[in-house]
Amino acid sequence: MSEFDAIIVGGGLAGSTAAYVLAQQGLEVLLIERGNYGGSKNMTGGRLYAHSLEKIIPNFAEEAPVERRVVKERISMMTENDAFTIDYHSPRLAQAGSDSYVVMRGEFDRWLFDKAEEAGAMTAAGIKVDELIVENNRVTGVICGDEEMRADVVILADGVNSLLAEKAGLRKRVQPSQVAVGVKEVYGLPAKVIEDRFGLTGNEGTAWLFAGSPSNGLVGGGFLYTNKESISLGLVLGLEHIGESEKTIEEMMVAFSNHPEIAPLIKDAKLLERSGHVVPEAGLSMVSTLYGDGYLICGDAAGFCLNIGYMVRGMDLAIASGEMAAKAVIAAKEKGDFSSATLQSYKTMLDESFIMKDLAVYKNFPSFMENLRIFNQYPAMVSEIMAEMFIVNGSPAVPLRKKAMKHLKTVGLMNLLKDGFKGVKSV
């Protein structure tokens, strides 16, 4: 007899959501988190698109530790000294159903972990799962030190580098080309100062992405999110090429924080936190094994992440996949069958959901982003065109089309056409 209906490894958004949904249906659930509490290892200070969690816990933002509701979107192309920024400000970004929140994952994940416990899940923090129990090609439990625990099904939600799944031969080893290194610094500032500097009021927030000089010409970019009384500032850099840069990650981060566009925003701020982590980047091509006899894989461990340049999503995918994993277990419990044939319903639900559909739409975007012109020549070209437009120094006027053409030729008209066509196809 199994001790539990389900054992969930990983107390992040996917794992805690699965535990919450299962516990609400009365199943015996054990949620295991390696950190001292749910979210203790999560360094992400980013953005949660609310739709997936709103369906599970209506009006969650009224009690959850969210920071600010995003009403401003900014995207910048940067050279070492210049920045060209697109700014979109709209109350529509905050409307119910399409709203999003800046969150500090350490606090937010802890809240959701505790919600799972309140719903009836047994939680165990500070416990490391060493390996899965596999008998007759079926996952039947986990081993933690000298202790074995059995379950009808094990849900793996243990992050992008799921060593348990790899060790058990359930999925292939994650490749450097599929992931990126994320580094983040949190700067403390009074709420009023943040609101003044970003043109915000009340609980309004800004989400800002950067391309060009922040990644020192490599695949990657920068991000900035406004919290209640702090700013999250960081870089995401493709792991595969990170050794090709003449700058270290630390040097890139220093240059980014000292950029003329950034430095005034964090002036007089106190550095509160530094952290780093590996994040999934390859989109649909990274998704591999999702289910089998006695197990399911969800969240980052399954490769569910979307980075399409102007938008980065992972949290809403993690929450939705955790919910679907739970529903698949509930259906398997009703049948009394936890075989691959029954748990396949998880994959069916994923295929019918926004997760796999969105991943399919943007499946070509990761390869498009391998084009280094995006991070080198294009920011420089845009910067030069903007300078030609706005600098007045007494020189005779030249038609703008001629000025622009001069800088377009630095990239190459054929390159512009090819990159434009490929970019449009990828989105």
Side-chain angles (χ1 to χ4, degrees):
M1 293 291 292
S2 298
E3 299 172 71
F4 300 96
D5 294 312
I7 293 176
I8 301 168
V9 183
L13 296 182
S16 292
T17 298
Y20 177 84
V21 174
L22 288 168
Q24 279 207 317
Q25 295 299 313
L27 274 69
E28 295 292 327
V29 184
L30 173 62
L31 175 60
I32 304 176
E33 165 57 37
R34 187 176 64 181
N36 293 328
Y37 56 87
S40 64
K41 300 187 284 72
N42 201 308
M43 55 76 60
T44 305
R47 182 176 185 177
L48 168 67
Y49 291 91
H51 65 100
S52 55
L53 188 56
E54 188 68 28
K55 294 171 184 173
I56 302 167
I57 307 176
N59 303 314
F60 74 89
E62 294 179 5
E63 62 169 299
V66 298
E67 295 293 320
R68 291 177 181 271
R69 179 182 283 173
V70 175
V71 298
K72 281 192 176 184
E73 302 273 8
R74 289 179 179 168
I75 304 170
S76 290
M77 298 185 76
M78 300 173 81
T79 63
E80 289 187 4
N81 297 303
D82 301 346
F84 171 72
T85 301
I86 299 171
D87 190 322
Y88 176 62
H89 184 190
S90 173
R92 289 189 290 175
L93 293 170
Q95 288 179 354
S98 58
D99 51 343
S100 63
Y101 297 87
V102 179
V103 297
M104 300 294 287
R105 287 287 300 277
E107 298 176 17
F108 192 86
D109 286 25
R110 188 171 195 168
W111 169 80
L112 190 55
F113 186 87
D114 291 344
K115 290 290 288 185
E117 186 175 40
E118 291 172 13
M122 181 181 295
T123 60
I127 303 296
K128 179 177 179 291
V129 176
D130 296 304
E131 60 183 298
L132 301 175
I133 301 173
V134 182
E135 300 169 318
N136 299 319
N137 295 318
R138 176 192 178 95
V139 176
T140 58
V142 300
I143 299 174
C144 305
D146 297 327
E147 188 173 357
E148 294 187 1
M149 289 170 281
R150 305 277 175 162
D152 293 325
V153 65
V154 173
I155 298 176
L156 294 175
D158 52 335
V160 58
N161 193 21
S162 182
L163 296 177
L164 289 173
E166 181 185 325
K167 187 175 181 180
L170 305 181
R171 62 166 293 170
K172 296 179 181 178
R173 185 181 183 87
V174 173
Q175 299 301 309
S177 61
Q178 297 176 317
V179 295
V181 175
V183 292
K184 183 195 71 174
E185 295 179 343
V186 178
Y187 291 90
L189 281 170
K192 183 66 166 60
V193 173
I194 292 173
E195 289 156 19
D196 289 344
R197 290 182 181 180
F198 290 88
L200 305 170
T201 58
N203 71 340
E204 292 180 340
T206 295
W208 198 341
L209 299 179
F210 306 83
S213 62
S215 62
N216 197 39
L218 299 181
V219 176
F223 62 85
L224 184 154
Y225 297 104
T226 54
N227 307 311
K228 287 180 180 177
E229 296 185 324
S230 65
I231 292 172
S232 294
L233 183 71
L235 300 172
V236 178
L237 306 161
L239 182 61
E240 184 178 24
H241 302 291
I242 206 165
E244 300 171 11
S245 174
E246 74 279 5
K247 287 185 179 180
T248 64
I249 296 177
E250 175 71 15
E251 289 170 334
M252 292 184 212
M253 193 67 208
V254 169
F256 183 38
S257 60
N258 288 329
H259 192 279
E261 184 76 4
I262 302 298
L265 301 175
I266 58 174
K267 182 182 178 182
D268 299 325
K270 180 181 180 182
L271 180 60
L272 303 176
E273 174 189 319
R274 275 182 172 172
S275 54
H277 207 280
V278 175
V279 295
E281 279 282 288
L284 186 62
S285 66
M286 191 174 178
V287 179
S288 58
T289 308
L290 296 171
Y291 68 95
D293 290 332
Y295 73 90
L296 298 167
I297 304 177
C298 59
D300 279 2
F304 295 145
C305 185
L306 268 174
N307 183 346
I308 51 177
Y310 64 90
M311 180 185 295
V312 179
R313 292 169 53 195
M315 300 184 209
D316 60 324
L317 279 67
I319 290 166
S321 66
E323 179 191 21
M324 292 173 207
K327 288 182 176 180
V329 172
I330 293 168
K333 173 73 173 178
E334 292 173 352
K335 288 185 177 181
D337 179 8
F338 296 88
S339 67
S340 175
T342 298
L343 293 177
Q344 186 180 7
S345 64
Y346 172 54
K347 178 64 164 55
T348 301
M349 283 185 278
L350 285 169
D351 288 341
E352 294 173 351
S353 75
F354 72 91
I355 296 178
M356 298 304 288
K357 290 178 180 178
D358 289 4
L359 287 170
V361 167
Y362 299 113
K363 65 180 179 180
N364 294 322
F365 197 82
S367 62
F368 170 69
M369 293 298 286
E370 289 290 321
N371 182 354
L372 294 182
R373 285 190 289 272
I374 297 171
F375 310 98
N376 292 277
Q377 291 155 285
Y378 285 122
M381 180 192 75
V382 170
S383 175
E384 292 301 321
I385 292 174
M386 292 299 104
E388 295 276 16
M389 288 177 63
F390 296 111
I391 292 176
V392 177
N393 57 15
S395 299
V398 176
L400 182 57
R401 66 180 183 278
K402 290 187 177 181
K403 293 180 179 180
M405 185 59 67
K406 176 178 65 175
H407 299 296
L408 292 174
K409 287 180 179 178
T410 63
V411 175
L413 297 181
M414 285 304 298
N415 285 334
L416 285 165
L417 289 172
K418 288 190 297 184
D419 294 344
F421 180 71
K422 188 174 181 181
V424 170
K425 282 188 66 179
S426 69
V427 295

